[in-house]
């Protein structure tokens, strides 16, 4: 029962129709068993293809339907909304796991985001292959990259913006270590109010001077003592602009697939109304 025009068998063509169109065909007495029998008759395949094309959503063939947002093309999903919701859930979960891993891996969490990107690509691949679908997947991909890249580098600063406490610390003589390629690196240290000595997040122009050891200075410290202190006040902590960029990227990551899901549902309903509204005339006329 393979179609001469490359449209596939009757079963494949029927499966590609929206569920609403399949229901309309069955209500009009042209379900899959009847279409199979019709296709087996002489010249029946052409008539069946004509019937199915009449019940297909407008622009579902060729390039006219490239902006449609309905789910997977193979028709394996009952609802075209689910592929977009799946993309949303996978992308949000991947971003959340990447940002959580910064607590233990710091900036190395970027590799976690890179590995989880494979799941996001898979979820995007399973959505509608249309022009509108490509745009949505592109927006989700760009938002995901922004969140993973900036989140891996600035999660510590964002945490200190929210939870950090300003206090007075004391400069301690810096330490010098031999890094790779024979480079001598200086690490500044401060003594916290509880007496512990910690490296600072970034050096400033004074902490590298051993003669200034014992000088008191303001710093932002982590109450849980996980993140290193940041010299200066809370307003001096970086990552503010990047935080606003990531908030915008998060909005795109959520709203893009949700909008595609809403448009997909609208496409399905529009196709269903078209199928039901014209099923009597189209089905009877095509079956003649």
């Amino acid at each position: 029962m393979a179609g001469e025009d490359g449209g596939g068998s009757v079963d494949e063509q029927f499966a590609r129709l929206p569920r609403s169109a399949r229901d309309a065909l069955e209500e009009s007495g042209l379900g899959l068993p009847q279409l199979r029998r019709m296709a087996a008759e002489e010249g029946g395949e052409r008539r069946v293809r004509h019937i199915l094309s009449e019940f297909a959503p407008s622009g579902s063939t060729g390039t006219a339907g490239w902006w449609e947002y309905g789910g997977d093309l193979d028709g394996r999903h009952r609802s075209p909304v689910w592929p977009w919701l799946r993309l949303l859930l996978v992308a949000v979960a991947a971003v959340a796991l990447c940002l959580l891993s910064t607590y233990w891996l710091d900036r190395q969490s970027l590799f976690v985001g890179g590995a989880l990107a494979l799941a996001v690509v898979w979820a995007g691949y399973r959505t509608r292959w249309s022009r509108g679908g490509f745009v949505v997947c592109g927006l989700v991909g760009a938002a995901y990259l922004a969140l993973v890249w900036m989140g891996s580098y600035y999660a510590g600063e964002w945490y200190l913006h929210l939870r950090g406490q300003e206090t007075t610390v004391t400069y301690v003589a810096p330490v010098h270590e031999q890094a790779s390629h024979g480079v001598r690196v200086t690490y500044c240290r401060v003594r916290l109010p509880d007496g512990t000595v910690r490296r600072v997040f970034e050096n400033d122009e004074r902490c590298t001077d051993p003669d200034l050891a014992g000088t008191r200075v303001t710093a932002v410290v982590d109450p849980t003592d996980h993140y290193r202190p940041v010299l200066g006040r809370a307003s001096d902590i970086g990552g503010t602009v990047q935080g606003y960029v990531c908030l915008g990227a998060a909005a795109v990551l959520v709203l893009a697939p949700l909008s595609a899901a809403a448009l997909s549902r609208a496409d399905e309903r529009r196709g269903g109304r078209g199928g039901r509204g014209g099923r009597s005339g189209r089905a009877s006329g095509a079956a003649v």
Side-chain angles (χ1 to χ4, degrees):
M1 264 191 266
E4 297 174 358
D5 298 335
S9 66
V10 173
D11 295 53
E12 293 170 346
Q13 295 176 64
F14 189 81
R16 284 196 292 265
L17 293 175
R19 185 171 182 82
S20 56
R22 296 197 299 267
D23 292 342
L25 279 166
E26 291 172 353
E27 290 174 9
S28 62
L30 290 172
L32 188 55
Q34 292 84 359
L35 292 173
R36 286 171 179 164
R37 287 196 297 269
M38 187 182 299
E41 301 172 357
E42 184 178 356
E45 289 188 3
R46 187 177 299 277
R47 294 169 58 195
V48 169
R49 283 197 301 273
H50 178 66
I51 293 173
L52 295 177
S53 66
E54 287 290 312
F55 277 80
S58 176
S60 62
T61 59
T63 59
W66 272 77
W67 280 103
E68 292 181 358
Y69 290 84
D72 296 344
L73 288 179
D74 55 15
R76 283 176 289 182
H77 296 287
R78 287 189 173 185
S79 173
V81 173
W82 165 240
W84 297 112
L85 296 181
R86 177 175 55 200
L87 175 60
L88 171 63
L89 293 174
V90 170
V92 170
V95 169
L97 288 174
C98 177
L99 295 181
L100 286 174
S101 68
T102 61
Y103 190 81
W104 298 277
L105 302 177
D106 198 21
R107 295 182 176 180
Q108 301 302 317
S109 62
L110 180 63
F111 295 103
V112 176
L116 294 174
L118 297 176
V120 179
V121 170
W122 171 83
Y125 178 79
R126 297 294 297 166
T127 58
R128 178 78 176 187
W129 281 41
S130 65
R131 187 175 302 169
F134 283 138
V135 170
V136 172
C137 289
L139 289 173
V140 171
Y144 178 81
L145 290 176
L147 288 167
V148 167
W149 182 273
M150 295 185 186
S152 299
Y153 278 84
Y154 294 99
E157 287 93 324
W158 297 339
Y159 175 86
L160 290 175
H161 267 298
L162 296 174
R163 297 286 310 278
Q165 297 176 354
E166 290 186 7
T167 187
T168 301
V169 298
T170 305
Y171 283 134
V172 177
V175 295
H176 307 281
E177 296 181 3
Q178 203 76 10
S180 59
H181 306 294
V183 179
R184 190 168 179 263
V185 181
T186 300
Y187 294 102
C188 291
R189 301 182 302 165
V190 295
R191 179 175 286 107
L192 303 182
D194 61 4
T196 59
V197 175
R198 291 292 307 273
R199 264 194 216 170
V200 299
F201 187 78
E202 288 183 349
N203 296 347
D204 66 8
E205 66 276 4
R206 296 190 300 166
C207 68
T208 55
D209 187 351
D211 295 334
L212 292 178
T215 304
R216 297 169 67 83
V217 66
T218 301
V220 180
V221 300
D222 176 13
T224 65
D225 200 32
H226 178 78
Y227 292 100
R228 298 197 299 271
V230 175
L231 295 172
R233 299 190 175 276
S235 57
D236 299 327
I237 300 175
T240 304
V241 174
Q242 292 81 359
Y244 286 118
V245 172
C246 283
L247 285 177
V252 172
L253 187 75
V254 173
L255 293 178
L258 286 180
S259 299
L263 291 171
S264 177
R265 177 64 72 185
D267 286 345
E268 184 186 40
R269 288 175 177 172
R270 186 164 54 248
R273 287 196 300 269
R276 285 186 170 82
R279 61 183 172 89
S280 302
R282 288 190 299 181
S284 59
V288 173

